[in-house]
């Protein structure tokens, strides 16, 4: 049994009501649910939320909301793995035992059904514990620096001062879209960023965090351009 779990709590602070805020005319969560439905790989698509309004929007978009998430898993400190584990245990109490579970973030409009299917295939054809989407970082992080308390410049990795960018390791970044995992991996709270995980590589332009209003505006513009290009 393959299950999608979409965490979507109601208490977003940096962008209020972020999960259901209109993104180019549609609730943000609709894009994630649409990708899950379009992939055709899930037996159940469950939105885990503590918010009745979010639950209603999720059902309108085609997902299930069979429970409301408890308050202790809905504050700023609740981890994703805890939320997914709660959903798995809820299913098992209902007599359904999922073998593969995909956590999908509700604020990932650049997610695609093709990436979801590729991630599932990688998980099924190997002994990986997790498979998630990632992309290359545009700037060489090993030559990055910070401003100290005196307002001076300091390198994070001063040993790389003389290194050429092309000679440094390629750095990847979590896309914040989806995380396929086995039931046992989720329930044992294993780290996703570890040697038993691998990635589905996505193009850099789809590697978009949406954490503040400026991010939101930029993502809408980028999404609209991409959609127009695909239609032409």
């Amino acid at each position: 049994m393959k299950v999608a779990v979409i965490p979507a709590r109601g208490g977003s602070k940096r962008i209020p009501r972020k999960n259901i805020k209109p993104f180019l005319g549609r609730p943000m969560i609709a894009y994630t649910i649409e990708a899950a439905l379009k992939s055709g790989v899930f037996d159940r698509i469950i939105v885990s939320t503590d918010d009745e309004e979010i639950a209603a929007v999720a059902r309108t978009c085609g997902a299930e909301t069979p429970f409301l998430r408890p308050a202790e898993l809905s504050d700023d400190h609740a981890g994703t793995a805890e939320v997914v584990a709660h959903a798995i245990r809820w299913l098992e109490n209902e007599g359904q035992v999922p073998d593969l579970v995909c956590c999908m973030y509700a604020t990932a409009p650049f997610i695609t059904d093709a990436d979801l299917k590729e991630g599932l295939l990688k998980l099924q054809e190997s002994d990986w514990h997790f498979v998630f989407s990632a992309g290359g970082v545009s700037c060489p992080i090993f030559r990055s620096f910070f401003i100290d308390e005196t307002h001076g410049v300091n390198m994070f990795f001063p040993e790389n001062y003389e290194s050429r960018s092309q000679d440094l390791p390629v750095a990847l970044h979590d896309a914040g879209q989806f995380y396929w995992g086995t039931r046992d991996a989720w329930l044992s709270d294993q780290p996703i960023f570890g040697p038993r995980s691998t990635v589905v590589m996505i193009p850099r332009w789809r590697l978009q965090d949406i954490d503040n209003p400026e991010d939101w505006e930029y993502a809408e513009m980028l999404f609209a351009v991409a959609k127009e290009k695909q239609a032409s």
Side-chain angles (χ1 to χ4, degrees):
M1 182 180 182
K2 293 178 283 296
V3 176
V5 176
I6 304 172
R9 70 185 183 92
S12 176
K13 292 182 174 61
R14 287 177 292 185
I15 303 178
R17 312 302 288 165
K18 178 180 178 181
N19 295 315
I20 55 175
K21 177 182 169 70
F23 182 90
L24 293 178
R26 301 175 66 196
M28 174 65 89
I29 198 172
Y31 296 90
T32 298
I33 296 173
E34 180 182 55
L37 290 167
K38 191 175 179 181
S39 73
V41 301
F42 296 108
D43 298 292
R44 298 186 71 171
I45 300 171
I46 294 173
V47 170
S48 173
T49 185
D50 61 324
D51 188 284
E52 291 281 6
E53 184 184 11
I54 292 175
V57 172
R59 290 192 296 271
T60 300
C61 294
E64 301 178 54
T65 56
F67 56 80
L68 282 180
R69 195 196 310 172
E72 62 268 22
L73 291 179
S74 301
D75 61 20
D76 292 338
H77 304 290
T80 296
E82 296 175 276
V83 173
V84 175
H86 170 265
I88 293 172
R89 293 190 180 101
W90 183 91
L91 284 165
E92 293 182 347
N93 287 336
E94 296 293 309
Q96 296 185 314
V97 180
D99 55 337
L100 301 177
V101 179
C102 186
C103 173
M104 302 174 63
Y105 282 156
T107 53
F110 294 94
I111 194 172
T112 72
D113 60 298
D115 292 339
L116 287 169
K117 288 187 281 190
E118 182 180 345
L120 173 61
L121 191 63
K122 287 190 173 187
L123 197 64
Q124 289 176 320
E125 292 185 344
S126 68
D127 60 352
W128 298 114
H129 289 177
F130 292 104
V131 179
F132 61 97
S133 56
V137 177
S138 58
C139 299
I141 64 170
F142 295 102
R143 286 181 54 81
S144 59
F145 59 87
F146 63 96
I147 303 297
D148 64 20
E149 63 276 5
T150 69
H151 303 290
V153 171
N154 284 272
M155 292 188 70
F156 282 106
F157 308 98
E159 66 274 18
N160 294 321
Y161 181 76
E162 300 290 345
S163 300
R164 301 183 307 168
S165 297
Q166 60 265 41
D167 295 330
L168 295 170
V170 175
L172 302 181
H173 192 279
D174 170 24
Q177 296 179 352
F178 67 85
Y179 309 84
W180 275 106
T182 65
R183 168 195 174 275
D184 292 344
W186 283 117
L187 291 182
S188 61
D189 198 20
Q190 295 184 30
I192 294 177
F193 302 141
R196 301 303 302 276
S197 300
T198 193
V199 302
V200 172
M201 290 294 294
I202 67 171
R204 191 176 296 159
W205 70 268
R206 286 204 284 118
L207 194 69
Q208 302 295 324
D209 283 333
I210 305 176
D211 292 326
N212 55 54
E214 184 180 2
D215 292 341
W216 188 286
E217 184 178 355
Y218 178 74
E220 280 191 316
M221 289 190 293
L222 188 60
F223 192 95
V225 169
K227 189 173 181 180
E228 182 178 344
K229 184 176 180 180
Q230 290 170 357
S232 61

